[in-house]
Amino acid sequence: MPGEVLMAGGCQLYAEGICNQQDDSSNSPKKHSSSRSKAEGKRRFLGATAGEKPLRRAEPRRGVTLLRPTAATSKDVVRLAARSALRSFPGGSPDEPLLLVDLGKVKSQVELWTRLLPQVRPHYAVKCNPDKQLIKQLHSGDCGFDCATMQEINAVLSLGVSPGDIVYSHPCKPRTHIAYAKSQGVSLMSFDNSGELRKLAKEFPEAQLLLRLVCEDSSAQCPMSLKFGAARESWKELFDEMQHLKLNLAGVSFHVGSGCKDPESFEQALQDALEVFGLATERGMPPLRLLDIGGGFPSDEETFSPLAQAVSEKLTRLFPSAAFPGLRIIAEPGMLILPRHSAPCVVFMVWFQIMRLEK
């Protein structure tokens, strides 16, 4: 297992269907006040007012860092980290799942991205894992952040991330969440429908918008085109609405689906993005200055390397720097940045492995 540091995280706590977060300095969960009704809890979770601090979704509530002994084997590293984490709980035997994250591997994945796609700045998809230590490390490594909810924005900002390093990527947002983003200075956000434009015109007319395009993603492990993205036949209507409402189009975004390994999916998506750039020019709009190529990149270098090389070639060919001076290109990798063994979906598997190691 590569890397110099292992971090063991904690559990998730749910109360009345709402995720609460335990204070790091306590081993017992915070309890809802008996006077708070379920309706009040739901209101706080959704963030009824822009100035109100929302309850965040559950995240690992405690962490243990462990330097790896140079002479230890990979199995010994896992065993030592597991035992250290277990000892941090009362009685040394938690009935909760633990999450082991190799922060050295996280660092090497960011370096892999920078080496293969140097012209694309990664914005880590916080939904993949919102752990504080993970976000801090990525922030120190000059990553931006892709946030899909108000809670994710709040979590990232609380760790010192600049609002300018956040893209609010969900194309369908509650009004209160838009207002919250405005109050925090997070202005870059996506849309894919006229209803969203009308909400933005009322709540945050100064926002810098990314038109999210629908993609051909049938080859992806997790297609997203059925949920998100503006189809070609809606582009004219959306441009008409933007200009009527005097909104600011900053660029284009797309997502070829999670687990995409087909470079041709990016070819068509980039061709569509180029067409939208041209459409903005034809309508006399300010030059678009940002291209977001989404996420879905495979995590293993053997698969990612040829895909990254193909994407890099397509970007150079379709968006040459001479024709698009000052163009910012970003992406939203999640599982590529976070090592596969530390994904949230395997938390329980890791926990059971730890318990076996202790026996």
Side-chain angles (χ1 to χ4, degrees), residues 49-72:
T49 62
E52 194 171 43
K53 185 176 181 180
L55 290 174
R56 295 197 295 274
R57 290 190 182 277
E59 60 181 279
R61 72 186 189 199
R62 55 192 295 120
V64 178
T65 57
L66 177 69
L67 293 178
R68 179 168 68 172
T70 55

Side-chain angles (χ1 to χ4, degrees), residues 220-266:
Q221 293 177 358
C222 181
M224 296 187 178
S225 60
L226 294 178
K227 297 191 296 181
F228 305 122
R232 179 183 300 274
E233 55 268 23
S234 69
W235 294 353
K236 181 181 183 301
E237 174 192 351
L238 293 175
F239 268 85
D240 289 342
E241 191 78 7
M242 275 187 290
Q243 292 187 298
H244 172 69
L245 296 172
K246 296 181 172 56
L247 296 174
N248 309 301
L249 183 64
V252 175
S253 70
F254 60 80
H255 197 301
V256 296
S258 183
C260 176
K261 301 177 182 179
D262 182 8
E264 292 311 305
S265 296
F266 284 92

Side-chain angles (χ1 to χ4, degrees), residues 62 77 82 94 113 124 144 171 188 250 252 265 311 334:
R62 55 192 295 120
V77 173
W113 178 281
Y124 171 67
L188 186 62
V252 175
S265 296
V311 171

Side-chain angles (χ1 to χ4, degrees), residues 47-348:
T49 62
E52 194 171 43
K53 185 176 181 180
L55 290 174
R56 295 197 295 274
R57 290 190 182 277
E59 60 181 279
R61 72 186 189 199
R62 55 192 295 120
V64 178
T65 57
L66 177 69
L67 293 178
R68 179 168 68 172
T70 55
T73 64
S74 295
K75 186 175 181 180
D76 289 335
V77 173
V78 175
R79 190 185 301 274
L80 288 169
R83 286 177 174 168
S84 178
L86 288 168
R87 283 195 296 269
S88 71
F89 285 84
S93 181
D95 58 350
E96 303 163 333
L98 297 173
L99 175 60
L100 297 181
V101 175
D102 183 347
L103 294 179
K105 177 64 174 177
V106 171
K107 180 180 178 181
S108 68
Q109 289 295 93
V110 174
E111 292 172 347
L112 172 66
W113 178 281
T114 303
R115 175 163 53 86
L116 296 178
L117 283 172
Q119 72 273 52
V120 182
R121 187 187 182 200
H123 281 55
Y124 171 67
V126 178
K127 68 176 74 66
C128 189
N129 188 325
D131 180 80
K132 290 182 178 180
Q133 291 197 50
L134 178 61
I135 292 174
K136 286 179 181 178
Q137 171 146 329
L138 292 172
H139 179 42
S140 68
D142 197 35
C143 283
F145 295 90
D146 154 33
C147 297
T149 67
M150 177 177 68
Q151 290 76 20
E152 291 177 6
I153 292 174
N154 180 71
V156 170
L157 290 175
S158 70
L159 298 174
V161 175
S162 168
D165 287 332
I166 296 174
V167 54
Y168 192 177
S169 62
H170 203 300
C172 303
K173 300 169 283 295
R175 292 180 183 274
T176 53
H177 292 207
I178 295 173
Y180 176 78
K182 179 180 180 179
S183 72
Q184 301 301 309
V186 177
S187 61
L188 186 62
M189 53 189 67
S190 301
F191 76 97
D192 65 2
N193 62 88
S194 58
E196 188 75 2
L197 288 175
R198 290 190 289 272
K199 285 189 291 184
L200 288 162
K202 182 176 181 180
E203 302 294 341
F204 195 0
E206 305 85 9
Q208 302 299 306
L209 305 182
L210 299 175
L211 172 56
R212 178 160 176 169
L213 307 181
V214 73
C215 289
E216 164 49 49
D217 57 1
S218 58
S219 64
Q221 293 177 358
C222 181
M224 296 187 178
S225 60
L226 294 178
K227 297 191 296 181
F228 305 122
R232 179 183 300 274
E233 55 268 23
S234 69
W235 294 353
K236 181 181 183 301
E237 174 192 351
L238 293 175
F239 268 85
D240 289 342
E241 191 78 7
M242 275 187 290
Q243 292 187 298
H244 172 69
L245 296 172
K246 296 181 172 56
L247 296 174
N248 309 301
L249 183 64
V252 175
S253 70
F254 60 80
H255 197 301
V256 296
S258 183
C260 176
K261 301 177 182 179
D262 182 8
E264 292 311 305
S265 296
F266 284 92
E267 175 73 25
Q268 185 57 56
L270 288 170
Q271 290 278 5
D272 289 347
L274 182 61
E275 188 173 340
V276 172
F277 271 66
L279 184 57
T281 300
E282 292 174 8
R283 286 180 168 248
M285 301 174 73
L288 303 189
R289 57 189 184 278
L290 194 143
L291 175 63
D292 181 351
I293 64 173
F297 299 91
S299 59
D300 60 293
E301 182 173 358
E302 182 179 356
T303 307
F304 175 61
S305 181
L307 178 63
Q309 292 173 13
V311 171
S312 180
E313 180 277 324
K314 297 175 190 303
L315 287 170
T316 301
R317 171 168 47 87
L318 296 173
F319 290 89
S321 57
F324 297 91
L327 177 66
R328 289 175 54 205
I329 306 177
I330 67 173
E332 304 167 2
M335 293 306 297
L336 180 141
I337 298 296
L338 190 67
R340 184 178 301 172
H341 63 270
S342 57
C345 62
V346 298
V347 170
F348 285 93

